[in-house]
CSV table of all heavy atoms in Angstrom, one decimal:
chain,number,residue,atom,x,y,z
P,285,PRO,N,149.5,-74.1,18.5
P,285,PRO,CA,149.0,-75.3,18.1
P,285,PRO,C,148.5,-75.3,16.6
P,285,PRO,O,148.4,-76.3,16.0
P,285,PRO,CB,147.7,-75.5,19.0
P,285,PRO,CG,147.5,-74.2,19.6
P,285,PRO,CD,148.8,-73.5,19.6
P,286,ARG,N,148.2,-74.1,16.1
P,286,ARG,CA,147.7,-74.0,14.7
P,286,ARG,C,148.8,-73.4,13.8
P,286,ARG,O,148.5,-72.9,12.7
P,286,ARG,CB,146.4,-73.3,14.6
P,286,ARG,CG,145.3,-73.8,15.5
P,286,ARG,CD,145.0,-75.3,15.2
P,286,ARG,NE,144.4,-75.5,13.9
P,286,ARG,CZ,144.2,-76.7,13.4
P,286,ARG,NH1,144.4,-77.8,14.1
P,286,ARG,NH2,143.7,-76.8,12.2
P,287,GLY,N,150.0,-73.4,14.2
P,287,GLY,CA,151.1,-72.9,13.4
P,287,GLY,C,151.4,-71.4,13.5
P,287,GLY,O,152.2,-71.0,12.7
P,288,HIS,N,150.8,-70.7,14.4
P,288,HIS,CA,151.2,-69.3,14.5
P,288,HIS,C,152.5,-69.2,15.3
P,288,HIS,O,152.7,-70.0,16.1
P,288,HIS,CB,150.0,-68.6,15.3
P,288,HIS,CG,148.8,-68.5,14.5
P,288,HIS,ND1,147.9,-69.5,14.5
P,288,HIS,CD2,148.2,-67.5,13.7
P,288,HIS,CE1,146.9,-69.2,13.7
P,288,HIS,NE2,147.1,-68.0,13.2
P,289,ILE,N,153.2,-68.1,15.0
P,289,ILE,CA,154.4,-67.8,15.7
P,289,ILE,C,154.1,-67.3,17.1
P,289,ILE,O,153.2,-66.4,17.2
P,289,ILE,CB,155.3,-66.8,15.0
P,289,ILE,CG1,155.6,-67.3,13.5
P,289,ILE,CG2,156.6,-66.6,15.7
P,289,ILE,CD1,156.4,-66.3,12.7
P,290,LEU,N,154.7,-67.9,18.1
P,290,LEU,CA,154.4,-67.4,19.5
P,290,LEU,C,155.3,-66.2,19.8
P,290,LEU,O,156.5,-66.2,19.5
P,290,LEU,CB,154.8,-68.5,20.5
P,290,LEU,CG,153.9,-69.8,20.4
P,290,LEU,CD1,154.3,-70.8,21.5
P,290,LEU,CD2,152.4,-69.4,20.5
P,291,VAL,N,154.7,-65.2,20.3
P,291,VAL,CA,155.4,-63.9,20.7
P,291,VAL,C,155.0,-63.5,22.1
P,291,VAL,O,153.9,-63.9,22.6
P,291,VAL,CB,155.0,-62.8,19.7
P,291,VAL,CG1,155.6,-63.0,18.3
P,291,VAL,CG2,153.5,-62.5,19.6
P,292,ASP,N,155.9,-62.7,22.7
P,292,ASP,CA,155.5,-62.1,24.0
P,292,ASP,C,154.9,-60.7,23.8
P,292,ASP,O,154.6,-60.4,22.6
P,292,ASP,CB,156.8,-62.1,24.9
P,292,ASP,CG,157.9,-61.2,24.4
P,292,ASP,OD1,157.6,-60.4,23.4
P,292,ASP,OD2,159.0,-61.2,24.9
P,293,LYS,N,154.7,-60.0,24.8
P,293,LYS,CA,154.0,-58.7,24.7
P,293,LYS,C,154.8,-57.7,23.9
P,293,LYS,O,154.3,-56.7,23.5
P,293,LYS,CB,153.6,-58.2,26.1
P,293,LYS,CG,152.5,-59.1,26.7
P,293,LYS,CD,151.9,-58.4,27.9
P,293,LYS,CE,150.7,-59.3,28.2
P,293,LYS,NZ,150.0,-59.0,29.4
P,294,GLN,N,156.1,-58.0,23.8
P,294,GLN,CA,156.9,-57.1,23.0
P,294,GLN,C,157.1,-57.6,21.6
P,294,GLN,O,157.9,-57.1,20.8
P,294,GLN,CB,158.3,-56.9,23.7
P,294,GLN,CG,158.4,-56.0,24.9
P,294,GLN,CD,157.6,-56.5,26.1
P,294,GLN,OE1,157.7,-57.6,26.4
P,294,GLN,NE2,156.8,-55.6,26.7
P,295,LEU,N,156.3,-58.6,21.3
P,295,LEU,CA,156.3,-59.2,19.9
P,295,LEU,C,157.6,-59.9,19.6
P,295,LEU,O,157.9,-60.1,18.4
P,295,LEU,CB,156.0,-58.1,18.8
P,295,LEU,CG,154.5,-57.6,18.7
P,295,LEU,CD1,153.5,-58.7,18.8
P,295,LEU,CD2,154.1,-56.5,19.6
P,296,ARG,N,158.3,-60.3,20.6
P,296,ARG,CA,159.5,-61.1,20.4
P,296,ARG,C,159.2,-62.6,20.3
P,296,ARG,O,158.3,-63.1,21.1
P,296,ARG,CB,160.4,-60.9,21.7
P,296,ARG,CG,161.6,-60.1,21.5
P,296,ARG,CD,162.6,-60.2,22.6
P,296,ARG,NE,163.3,-59.0,22.6
P,296,ARG,CZ,163.0,-58.0,23.4
P,296,ARG,NH1,162.1,-58.1,24.3
P,296,ARG,NH2,163.7,-56.8,23.3
P,297,THR,N,159.8,-63.2,19.4
P,297,THR,CA,159.6,-64.7,19.3
P,297,THR,C,160.5,-65.4,20.3
P,297,THR,O,161.1,-64.8,21.1
P,297,THR,CB,160.0,-65.2,17.9
P,297,THR,OG1,161.4,-65.0,17.7
P,297,THR,CG2,159.3,-64.4,16.8
P,298,SER,N,160.6,-66.7,20.2
P,298,SER,CA,161.4,-67.4,21.1
P,298,SER,C,162.9,-67.1,20.9
P,298,SER,O,163.7,-67.5,21.7
P,298,SER,CB,161.2,-69.0,21.0
P,298,SER,OG,161.2,-69.4,19.6
P,299,ASP,N,163.2,-66.5,19.8
P,299,ASP,CA,164.6,-65.9,19.6
P,299,ASP,C,164.5,-64.5,19.9
P,299,ASP,O,163.8,-63.7,19.2
P,299,ASP,CB,165.0,-66.2,18.1
P,299,ASP,CG,166.4,-65.7,17.8
P,299,ASP,OD1,166.8,-64.7,18.4
P,299,ASP,OD2,167.1,-66.3,17.0
P,300,PRO,N,165.3,-64.0,20.9
P,300,PRO,CA,165.1,-62.5,21.2
P,300,PRO,C,165.5,-61.5,20.2
P,300,PRO,O,165.1,-60.4,20.2
P,300,PRO,CB,166.1,-62.4,22.5
P,300,PRO,CG,166.9,-63.6,22.5
P,300,PRO,CD,166.2,-64.7,21.7
P,301,ASP,N,166.2,-62.0,19.1
P,301,ASP,CA,166.5,-61.0,18.0
P,301,ASP,C,165.5,-61.1,16.9
P,301,ASP,O,165.7,-60.5,15.8
P,301,ASP,CB,168.0,-61.3,17.5
P,301,ASP,CG,169.0,-60.9,18.6
P,301,ASP,OD1,168.8,-59.9,19.2
P,301,ASP,OD2,169.9,-61.6,18.7
P,302,ILE,N,164.5,-61.9,17.0
P,302,ILE,CA,163.5,-62.1,15.9
P,302,ILE,C,162.2,-61.7,16.5
P,302,ILE,O,161.7,-62.3,17.5
P,302,ILE,CB,163.5,-63.5,15.4
P,302,ILE,CG1,164.9,-63.9,14.9
P,302,ILE,CG2,162.5,-63.6,14.2
P,302,ILE,CD1,165.0,-65.3,14.3
P,303,PHE,N,161.5,-60.8,15.8
P,303,PHE,CA,160.2,-60.3,16.2
P,303,PHE,C,159.2,-60.9,15.2
P,303,PHE,O,159.6,-61.2,14.0
P,303,PHE,CB,160.1,-58.8,16.2
P,303,PHE,CG,161.0,-58.2,17.3
P,303,PHE,CD1,162.4,-58.2,17.2
P,303,PHE,CD2,160.4,-57.7,18.5
P,303,PHE,CE1,163.2,-57.6,18.3
P,303,PHE,CE2,161.2,-57.2,19.5
P,303,PHE,CZ,162.6,-57.2,19.4
P,304,ALA,N,157.9,-60.9,15.5
P,304,ALA,CA,156.9,-61.3,14.5
P,304,ALA,C,155.7,-60.5,14.8
P,304,ALA,O,155.3,-60.2,15.9
P,304,ALA,CB,156.7,-62.8,14.5
P,305,VAL,N,155.0,-60.1,13.7
P,305,VAL,CA,153.8,-59.3,13.8
P,305,VAL,C,152.8,-59.7,12.8
P,305,VAL,O,153.1,-60.3,11.7
P,305,VAL,CB,154.1,-57.7,13.6
P,305,VAL,CG1,155.1,-57.3,14.7
P,305,VAL,CG2,154.7,-57.4,12.2
P,306,GLY,N,151.5,-59.3,13.0
P,306,GLY,CA,150.5,-59.5,12.0
P,306,GLY,C,149.8,-60.8,12.0
P,306,GLY,O,149.8,-61.5,13.0
P,307,ASP,N,149.2,-61.2,10.9
P,307,ASP,CA,148.4,-62.5,10.8
P,307,ASP,C,149.1,-63.7,11.2
P,307,ASP,O,148.6,-64.7,11.4
P,307,ASP,CB,147.9,-62.6,9.4
P,307,ASP,CG,146.9,-61.6,9.0
P,307,ASP,OD1,146.5,-60.8,9.8
P,307,ASP,OD2,146.4,-61.6,7.8
P,308,VAL,N,150.5,-63.6,11.1
P,308,VAL,CA,151.3,-64.8,11.4
P,308,VAL,C,151.4,-65.1,12.8
P,308,VAL,O,151.9,-66.2,13.2
P,308,VAL,CB,152.7,-64.7,10.6
P,308,VAL,CG1,153.6,-63.8,11.4
P,308,VAL,CG2,153.3,-66.0,10.4
Side-chain angles (χ1 to χ4, degrees):
R286 307 300 297 173
H288 293 81
I289 303 176
L290 296 183
V291 289
D292 64 13
K293 291 195 170 172
Q294 281 68 44
L295 286 318
R296 254 193 206 96
T297 66
S298 49
D299 179 329
D301 291 321
I302 305 182
F303 294 74
V305 299
D307 289 358
V308 75

